[in-house]
């Protein structure tokens, strides 16, 4: 997996001060995507053990609320496979921090509705998240007043509560 960018102190992509990892690669290619440069799976730099260690150092300060994964799309299957071991380690090292993730795919019943996005890592990766912003960006539904999403079809989902209840529980409406 490659990554397009790392923001060590991001306040735009989740609550609080966060470390944001923008992965490379997206097959959804939403019209007027804010980060179309990251559609290419080969864009950016390789995600290595050194990259992980640098991210762990960025996550260590007390003022960091958590990690945000976005892109590209973290839920492209090749990205899921690379992110799963990393997210497991983040959970182990930083159990009090939260993990947010943005995807153009649609959450459904602990997995994703689109079969092309599902792989052996999908359910576990979702289970490690706290908040998932799902849904393809739709230009005709764009609304700049919305928190943490670009179009009104997208949802900000409380993953933990959704998994325990068996239905989608919104984090923000």
């Amino acid at each position: 997996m490659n990554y397009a960018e790392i923001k060590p102190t991001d306040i735009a992509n989740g609550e609080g001060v966060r470390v944001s990892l923008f992965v490379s690669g997206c097959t959804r290619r939403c019209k007027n995507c804010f980060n179309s440069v990251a559609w290419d799976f080969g864009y950016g730099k390789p995600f290595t053990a050194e990259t992980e260690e640098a991210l762990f150092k960025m996550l260590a300060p007390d003022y960091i609320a958590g990690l945000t994964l976005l892109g590209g799309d973290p839920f492209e299957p090749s990205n899921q496979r690379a992110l799963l071991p990393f997210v497991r380690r983040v959970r182990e090292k930083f159990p009090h921090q939260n993990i947010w993730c943005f995807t153009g795919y649609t959450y459904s019943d602990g997995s994703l509705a689109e079969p092309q996005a599902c792989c052996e890592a999908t359910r576990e990766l979702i289970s490690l998240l706290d908040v998932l912003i799902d849904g393809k960006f739709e230009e005709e539904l764009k609304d700049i007043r919305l928190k943490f999403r670009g179009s009104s079809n997208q949802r900000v989902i409380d993953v933990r509560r959704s998994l325990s209840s068996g239905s989608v529980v919104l984090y923000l409406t």
Side-chain angles (χ1 to χ4, degrees), residues 65-100:
L67 173 70
T68 297
L69 305 170
L70 59 172
D73 197 315
F75 275 95
E76 292 293 344
S78 60
N79 289 340
Q80 290 181 56
R81 291 178 181 111
L83 286 170
L84 180 57
F86 168 65
V87 172
R88 282 184 194 135
R89 287 190 285 278
V90 170
R91 275 278 173 231
E92 290 169 13
K93 290 179 177 282
F94 307 99
H96 300 296
Q97 292 184 349
N98 57 60
I99 302 174
W100 287 46

Side-chain angles (χ1 to χ4, degrees), residues 143-156:
D143 185 345
I144 62 171
R145 298 170 295 175
L146 298 170
K147 279 183 100 170
F148 308 120
R149 52 201 166 129
S151 57
S152 60
N153 63 299
Q154 296 172 311
R155 302 176 296 178
V156 183

Side-chain angles (χ1 to χ4, degrees), residues 107 130 158-171:
Y107 174 85
D130 294 288
D158 184 322
V159 175
R160 305 238 176 231
R161 289 177 60 207
S162 296
L163 289 172
S164 69
S165 74
S167 61
V168 173
V169 176
L170 296 179
Y171 185 79

Side-chain angles (χ1 to χ4, degrees), residues 9-19 63-66 68 100 148:
T9 52
D10 186 359
I11 58 169
N13 294 301
E15 293 179 330
V17 180
R18 315 187 63 73
V19 175
Y63 61 86
I64 297 295
T68 297
W100 287 46
F148 308 120

